[in-house]
């Protein structure tokens, strides 16, 4: 009998790593001393250069390279061809926990190629051996060790020709050379792939909103004389093309007054190209003029006031002949406003979990309120992501983003339980921000590796963290795949949010979430979505040019590109969230119904006495509501408050109950890659869902139209009855004191069930008979 299948544990776990913990205070609040991660010792070897090297016996030239060998671990520099005085300036890092040798061998070799059947095999020029006890130890902020010249020794112990400059020391991951070093974890990687294993810090380019307000054009010239011109303006910036609508003025002096908005990144590469076109037929236009505007000429705007409009001469000559352009005596003109709007925040992340809300212009940034420190400790239980030599393997690395700073850990090669122990720091401007960390499998260490494979994601909202406290937790790495949800492993993180001024932290809760320009001149949701798409494309392009590159699949996964696409699973999750909020209101209504039904007579009498107290002492209503239900409930919930920040919840996400067809649709491309009956089944299902939504909206519209029909005289008898009721009610309320009315209303609502008939009330019956415009629908 097969053993029962064990369920995967998707919960958040507290851990107790070997790190410096506790709280910080005083002058240590804004310092980072790598106290969130386990201190790891490394043996660093920096190979700088060599000189006066001899030629080999085959080609009489020297193709040198250096090999650093410690026991079974070996690191190799690049080799130079025919260069007796090479310069490498490469750093090697060997983890002390894996070192078993008692000495370090640094060999300078000559890479000999086969020439006319001779050669083949590398020749040792000389080597240097250093004993482990003789290696000094460096602790930052000590200055880096100065490299020294060492004479080479031949294999027989005699002095060899040539010298090698290098430095060697014991250090930790806090060393400046850590991020640029070749690590022994990547011993199986060589060549240019070593760069893909290193840890790096990236900074996003400065993003601007480019606003082009096209106002009007004058004196356009067209070759088509027998047709009214249909003129519009096309704007091109890089690969983004936007167009105005066709002008309502069907003449050669059209007007628009429309805004076209782009996203540009510093340094500006592409100019803005404007073309005035006359649409002759679908996909056929006549060019009436062209204008090329470098972005460096745009006015930088960060105040609500608009920049001044300017007239620009259009280039109506489409030839490249300079003589033809000089002979032009008549110029068409375009009036527009051209500005870089620095008062907005450029959205590159989903607004629900953005890591930065600041404006583009640095002058508009708020002051820092603290420091966020993240220690990426280790991962456990990672699943094999690819196959190598007939066995599963994983080459994991992490990428974290907060604000405009991206960090990437080194790649730990061939390990399902990699240890990173790297710590990073960010300045914090707003607690209502989220730091996002993703884990990927590096597929670029070997030829034909393909794209990197996602393993999981973690989000941490800063407002859920207590200040000056270290959270050390193991987050589950959850991946949603077409086959279902799956736990890919765990990532152990240490997080600390350090506050420099508690008063400034509380003050941020009273400030607007976004820069003022978003409220004075707001952008529409469609504009924000379009501009965010441009921003993510720009960031992917720029960060992919870095070395090592931060690839497109990593940037898009971290920025949640595609999260706005249709997903039935996410729709069910949002409905579940809405119902979760409604349960509180429903619970209050059920409780009140029990009181009305006298299920507990003592409780009903107590509530009625409290109601009488409120009626005769109305000044106590607001204080009582603030004190008892709100303040009291908050104090009661303090004991059960969350102790740890939230994490990915598969139940809330409806990932554990998602059907295969739903997941297949969610992971489908756009446009869809499916054909035939698959698309027909999806379309029919969407029609059913859409039909239910249409019915729900129709019912809501009917109820609202019934309220409107009370005074519209659509039903003369109902309107007459309602107006007569209002007249009588006004007289009664004027004649009878409000206390007596409230007392009578309370007695009537909470009367005993023996004095109540379980049929719909009179106002409900009257309201349901009111007319609505649903009768007029086809």
């Amino acid at each position: 009998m097969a053993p029962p299948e064990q369920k995967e544990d998707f919960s958040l776990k507290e851990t107790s790593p070997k790190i410096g913990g506790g709280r910080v205070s005083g002058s240590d609040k804004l310092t980072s001393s790598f106290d969130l991660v386990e201190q790891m010792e490394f043996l660093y070897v920096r190979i700088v250069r060599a000189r006066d090297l001899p030629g080999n016996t085959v080609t009489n030239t020297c193709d040198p390279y250096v090999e650093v060998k410690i026991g079974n671990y070996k690191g190799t520099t690049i080799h130079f061809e025919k260069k007796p005085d090479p310069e490498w300036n490469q750093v090697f890092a060997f983890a002390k926990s894996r070192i078993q040798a008692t000495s370090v061998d640094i060999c300078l070799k000559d890479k000999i190629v086969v020439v006319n059947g001779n050669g083949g095999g590398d020749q040792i020029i000389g080597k240097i051996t250093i004993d482990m006890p003789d290696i000094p130890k460096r602790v930052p902020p000590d200055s880096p060790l100065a490299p020294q010249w060492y004479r080479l020794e031949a294999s027989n112990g005699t002095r060899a020709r040539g010298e090698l400059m290098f430095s060697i020391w014991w250090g930790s991951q806090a060393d400046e050379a850590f991020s640029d070093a070749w690590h022994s974890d990547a011993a199986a990687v060589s060549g240019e792939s070593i760069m893909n294993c290193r840890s790096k810090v990236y900074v996003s380019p400065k993003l601007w909103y480019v606003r082009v307000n096209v106002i009007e054009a004058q004196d356009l010239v067209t070759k088509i004389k027998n047709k009214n011109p249909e003129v519009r303006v096309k704007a091109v910036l890089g690969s983004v093309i936007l167009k105005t609508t066709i002008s309502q003025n069907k003449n050669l002096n059209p007007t628009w007054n429309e805004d076209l908005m782009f996203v540009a990144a510093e340094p500006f590469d592409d100019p803005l190209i404007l073309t005035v076109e006359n649409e002759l037929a679908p996909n056929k236009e006549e060019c009436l003029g062209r204008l090329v505007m470098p972005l460096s000429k745009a006015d930088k705007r960060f105040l609500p006031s608009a920049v001044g409009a300017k007239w620009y001469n259009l280039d109506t000559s489409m030839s490249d002949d300079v003589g033809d352009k000089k002979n032009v005596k008549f110029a068409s003109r375009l009036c527009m406003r051209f500005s870089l709007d620095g008062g907005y925040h450029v959205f590159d992340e989903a607004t629900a979990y953005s890591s930065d809300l600041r404006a583009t212009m640095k002058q508009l940034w708020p002051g820092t309120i603290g420091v966020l420190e993240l220690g990426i400790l280790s991962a456990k239980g990672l699943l094999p992501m690819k196959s190598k030599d007939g066995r599963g393997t994983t080459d994991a690395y992490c990428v974290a983003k907060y604000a405009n700073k991206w960090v990437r850990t080194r790649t730990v090669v061939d390990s399902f339980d990699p240890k990173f122990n790297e710590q990073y720091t960010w300045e914090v401007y707003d607690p209502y921000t989220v730091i996002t960390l993703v884990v990927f499998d590096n597929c670029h260490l070997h030829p034909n590796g393909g794209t990197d494979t996602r393993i999981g994601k973690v989000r941490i909202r800063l407002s859920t963290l207590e200040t000056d406290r270290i959270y050390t937790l193991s987050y589950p790495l959850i991946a949603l795949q077409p086959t279902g949800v799956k736990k890919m492993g765990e990532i152990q993180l240490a997080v600390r949010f350090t506050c420099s001024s508690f008063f400034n932290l509380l003050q941020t809760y009273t400030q607007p979430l976004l820069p003022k320009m978003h409220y004075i001149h707001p952008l529409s949701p469609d504009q924000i979505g379009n501009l965010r798409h441009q921003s993510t494309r720009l960031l992917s392009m720029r960060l992919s040019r870095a070395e090592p590159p931060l690839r497109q699949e990593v940037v898009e996964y971290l920025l949640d590109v595609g999260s706005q696409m249709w997903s039935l699973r996410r729709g069910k999750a949002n409905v579940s969230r809405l119902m979760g909020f409604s349960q509180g209101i429903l619970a209050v209504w059920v409780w009140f119904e029990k009181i009305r039904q006298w299920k507990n007579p003592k409780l009903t009498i107590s509530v009625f006495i409290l109601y009488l107290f409120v009626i005769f002492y109305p000044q106590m209503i607001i204080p009582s509501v603030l004190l008892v239900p709100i303040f009291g409930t908050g104090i009661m919930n303090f004991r059960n408050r969350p102790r740890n920040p939230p994490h990915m919840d598969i139940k809330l996400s409806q990932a554990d109950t998602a059907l295969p067809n739903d997941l297949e649709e969610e992971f489908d491309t756009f446009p869809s890659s499916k054909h035939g009956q698959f698309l027909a089944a999806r379309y029919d299902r969407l029609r059913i869902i859409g039909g239910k939504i249409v019915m729900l909206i129709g019912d809501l519209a009917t109820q609202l139209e019934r309220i409107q029909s009370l005074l519209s005289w659509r039903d003369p008898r109902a309107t007459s009855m309602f107006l007569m009721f209002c007249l009588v009610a006004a007289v009664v309320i004027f004649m009878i004191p409000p206390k007596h009315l409230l007392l009578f209303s309370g007695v009537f609502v909470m009367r005993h069930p023996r004095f109540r008939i379980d049929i719909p009330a009179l106002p409900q019956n009257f309201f349901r008979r009111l007319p609505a415009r649903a009768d007029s629908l086809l």
Side-chain angles (χ1 to χ4, degrees):
M1 185 175 180
E5 183 180 357
Q6 293 184 353
K7 293 185 177 180
E8 293 179 322
D9 185 9
F10 295 93
S11 61
L12 194 67
K13 302 176 183 176
E14 293 192 33
T15 58
S16 300
K18 300 176 182 178
I19 64 173
R23 297 178 178 263
V24 292
S25 59
S27 59
D28 296 333
K29 276 192 173 183
L30 297 180
T31 62
S32 178
S33 56
F34 279 79
D35 59 339
L36 296 185
V37 296
E38 180 182 352
Q39 296 295 324
M40 300 177 64
E41 287 194 68
F42 292 89
L43 177 61
Y44 290 97
V45 182
R46 181 186 295 275
I47 306 298
V48 182
R49 54 179 300 193
R51 66 184 179 186
D52 195 23
L53 301 181
N56 58 61
T57 57
V58 178
T59 61
N60 201 26
T61 60
C62 185
D63 300 338
Y65 70 93
V66 177
E67 179 183 274
V68 181
K69 186 176 182 182
I70 304 178
N72 295 328
Y73 293 99
K74 181 172 60 176
T76 305
T77 66
I78 60 175
H79 81 277
F80 293 96
E81 295 183 359
K82 301 179 181 180
K83 194 170 185 179
D85 299 317
E87 184 173 345
W88 293 280
N89 198 27
Q90 286 185 241
V91 182
F92 300 86
F94 299 87
K96 185 178 180 180
S97 59
R98 300 188 178 186
I99 295 178
Q100 297 180 350
T102 58
S103 62
V104 181
D105 294 330
I106 303 175
C107 299
L108 185 60
K109 295 185 177 183
D110 186 3
K111 193 174 187 67
I112 302 177
V113 297
V114 179
V115 179
N116 296 328
N118 299 322
D122 299 345
Q123 175 182 339
I124 298 178
I125 301 176
K127 74 172 185 176
I128 301 166
T129 301
I130 299 178
D131 295 331
M132 291 289 182
D134 298 335
I135 299 175
K137 185 174 183 179
R138 174 181 177 254
V139 179
D142 293 350
S143 300
L145 268 70
Q148 300 180 24
W149 286 103
Y150 291 84
R151 297 183 182 275
L152 298 176
E153 294 182 0
S155 56
N156 57 5
T158 60
R159 176 183 173 185
R161 180 183 171 184
E163 294 179 305
L164 179 65
M165 176 185 283
F166 68 90
S167 58
I168 183 170
W169 72 96
W170 289 105
S172 66
Q173 67 266 46
D175 204 292
E176 296 86 349
F178 178 82
S179 60
D180 294 325
W182 172 94
H183 288 266
S184 56
D185 296 336
V189 182
S190 60
E192 296 181 356
S193 298
I194 294 178
M195 186 65 70
N196 288 314
C197 293
R198 294 177 177 174
S199 59
K200 285 292 180 182
V201 176
Y202 308 83
V203 177
S204 301
K206 192 174 184 179
L207 300 179
W208 293 82
Y209 281 157
V210 181
R211 184 187 296 269
V212 183
N213 178 229
V214 184
I215 302 176
E216 60 177 323
Q218 286 185 356
D219 304 328
L220 300 178
V221 178
T222 178
K223 297 179 182 178
I224 309 299
K225 303 299 183 181
N226 56 354
K227 180 182 178 181
N228 291 330
E230 296 183 353
V231 186
R232 66 183 175 195
V233 177
K234 180 177 73 174
V236 180
L237 182 61
S239 59
V240 181
I241 301 176
L242 298 179
K243 297 180 180 180
T244 65
T245 58
I246 295 177
S247 175
Q248 298 297 323
N249 300 341
K250 305 297 182 180
N251 53 41
L252 297 177
N253 296 304
T255 59
W256 297 277
N257 197 21
E258 295 183 19
D259 282 342
L260 303 177
M261 295 193 68
F262 300 87
V263 178
E266 291 185 352
F268 302 127
D269 295 334
D270 302 311
L272 176 68
I273 302 176
L274 297 167
T275 307
V276 181
E277 298 177 339
N278 179 19
E279 184 173 324
L280 305 178
N283 300 323
K284 184 179 180 181
E285 297 88 11
E286 175 193 12
C287 181
L288 305 181
R290 189 168 177 265
L291 178 64
V292 178
M293 294 292 296
L295 297 185
S296 57
K297 293 185 178 181
D299 297 324
K300 292 185 177 181
R301 169 193 177 211
F302 60 93
L303 296 176
S305 57
V307 299
K310 297 180 182 179
W311 287 96
Y312 298 90
N313 291 334
L314 297 175
D315 181 10
T316 56
S317 174
M318 295 298 105
S319 66
D320 295 332
D321 190 355
V322 179
D324 292 345
K325 295 182 180 181
K326 289 184 177 179
N327 293 331
V328 175
K329 298 181 181 179
F330 183 81
S332 302
R333 300 192 303 167
L334 179 66
C335 181
M336 68 176 186
R337 295 183 177 92
F338 180 37
S339 63
L340 297 175
D341 288 359
Y344 290 98
H345 166 68
V346 180
F347 290 97
D348 56 354
E349 302 164 295
T351 54
Y353 24 81
S354 179
S355 65
D356 190 11
L357 302 169
R358 294 172 294 173
T360 300
M361 296 288 288
K362 196 170 184 178
Q363 294 88 332
L364 302 178
W365 289 5
T368 59
I369 60 173
V371 168
L372 172 65
E373 297 169 272
L374 174 67
I376 305 174
L377 303 176
S378 62
K380 292 183 179 180
L382 299 183
L383 299 182
M385 304 303 297
K386 56 180 176 287
S387 179
K388 177 184 176 184
D389 299 331
R391 61 183 181 86
T393 182
T394 299
D395 306 323
Y397 69 93
C398 304
V399 178
K401 179 188 182 296
Y402 184 78
N404 62 340
K405 180 179 175 181
W406 306 59
V407 298
R408 169 178 173 159
T409 67
R410 71 187 190 280
T411 300
V412 180
V413 178
D414 194 13
S415 176
F416 299 134
D417 300 307
K419 290 186 177 181
F420 302 101
N421 284 309
E422 300 183 25
Q423 184 170 338
Y424 300 96
T425 305
W426 290 267
E427 289 184 333
V428 178
Y429 294 86
D430 194 312
Y432 187 74
T433 46
V434 176
I435 181 172
T436 305
L437 179 138
V438 295
V439 184
F440 269 79
D441 175 55
N442 198 334
C443 296
H444 290 82
L445 303 182
H446 306 283
N448 303 322
T451 59
D452 291 353
T453 308
R454 61 181 66 171
I455 298 178
K457 179 188 295 185
V458 174
R459 296 193 196 103
I460 303 175
R461 186 172 294 278
L462 270 62
S463 59
T464 62
L465 302 176
E466 297 180 16
T467 57
D468 305 331
R469 174 187 169 186
I470 296 178
Y471 293 84
T472 308
L473 303 168
S474 285
Y475 289 84
L477 295 174
I478 304 172
L480 186 63
Q481 302 174 349
T483 56
V485 65
K486 193 172 186 179
K487 183 179 179 181
M488 309 298 291
E490 295 180 356
I491 182 74
Q492 188 178 14
L493 304 176
V495 185
R496 177 170 60 199
F497 174 36
T498 307
C499 176
S500 57
S501 173
F502 193 69
F503 175 78
N504 293 338
L505 174 62
L506 297 182
Q507 191 179 20
T508 58
Y509 284 85
T510 65
Q511 302 299 320
L513 191 63
L514 296 171
K516 294 180 180 179
M517 284 288 287
H518 286 272
Y519 306 101
I520 299 175
H521 297 291
L523 302 174
S524 67
D526 290 339
Q527 281 182 309
I528 292 177
N530 180 35
L531 293 172
R532 183 185 170 225
H533 177 67
Q534 297 183 40
S535 303
T536 54
R537 290 187 59 185
L538 270 176
L539 287 177
S540 299
M541 291 170 48
R542 290 293 181 90
L543 294 175
S544 63
R545 300 178 191 172
E547 194 63 38
L550 207 56
R551 304 190 183 275
Q552 179 180 358
E553 60 268 20
V554 179
V555 176
E556 291 184 351
Y557 182 51
L558 203 148
L559 296 179
D560 285 284
V561 174
S563 60
Q564 75 282 0
M565 300 299 293
W566 161 256
S567 170
L568 184 60
R569 176 190 59 84
R570 280 197 293 264
K572 292 179 180 178
N574 290 331
V575 172
S576 176
R577 292 168 57 197
L578 186 61
M579 294 303 296
F581 172 78
S582 304
Q583 285 179 354
I585 302 176
L586 183 61
V588 174
W589 177 255
V590 171
W591 174 79
F592 183 69
E593 279 295 316
K594 290 181 179 180
I595 293 176
R596 291 182 65 242
Q597 298 296 332
W598 288 70
K599 299 293 184 181
N600 187 346
K602 294 182 180 179
L603 180 61
T604 303
I605 295 174
S606 300
V607 171
F608 186 74
I609 294 174
L610 179 63
Y611 180 72
L612 294 177
F613 177 79
V614 169
I615 289 177
F616 289 100
Y617 298 94
Q619 67 274 14
M620 298 297 296
I621 296 177
I622 296 179
S624 299
V625 171
L626 294 177
L627 184 63
V628 179
I630 299 179
F631 182 78
T633 303
I635 294 298
M636 295 280 293
N637 291 339
F638 179 78
R639 299 175 59 185
N640 300 323
R641 69 189 185 279
R643 304 292 179 175
N644 296 315
H647 66 289
M648 300 289 184
D649 191 340
I650 63 168
K651 292 185 178 181
L652 179 65
S653 305
Q654 301 285 322
D656 56 339
T657 58
L659 300 176
N661 291 337
D662 299 342
L663 295 177
E664 184 183 18
E665 182 180 11
E666 183 173 345
F667 282 90
D668 196 4
T669 58
F670 185 84
S672 176
S673 59
K674 302 294 182 180
H675 303 281
Q677 60 180 359
F678 295 100
L679 288 184
R682 291 182 186 175
Y683 179 65
D684 292 339
R685 184 174 61 177
L686 284 178
R687 291 178 64 187
I688 295 174
I689 297 174
K692 293 179 180 179
I693 295 176
V694 168
M695 292 297 295
L696 180 63
I697 296 175
D699 292 341
L700 178 61
T702 298
Q703 305 306 322
L704 297 177
E705 287 175 350
R706 284 173 175 171
I707 298 175
Q708 189 179 23
S709 66
L710 287 171
L711 300 176
S712 66
W713 293 92
R714 184 177 293 274
D715 184 344
R717 288 170 295 277
T719 303
S720 301
M721 292 173 64
F722 178 71
L723 293 180
M724 186 60 63
F725 168 77
C726 292
L727 177 62
V728 174
V731 174
V732 170
I733 293 174
F734 178 77
M735 299 296 295
I736 301 176
K739 292 181 180 181
H740 297 169
L741 289 176
L742 292 175
L743 179 60
F744 174 78
S745 301
V747 172
F748 180 78
V749 170
M750 290 188 287
R751 67 191 185 277
H752 197 274
R754 69 177 59 183
F755 303 111
R756 185 185 300 123
I757 303 176
D758 292 333
I759 60 174
L762 186 148
Q764 188 176 358
N765 298 331
F766 179 80
F767 184 76
R768 286 183 176 179
R769 283 178 168 80
L770 292 175
R773 302 184 64 185
D775 309 336
S776 303
L777 294 177
L778 293 176

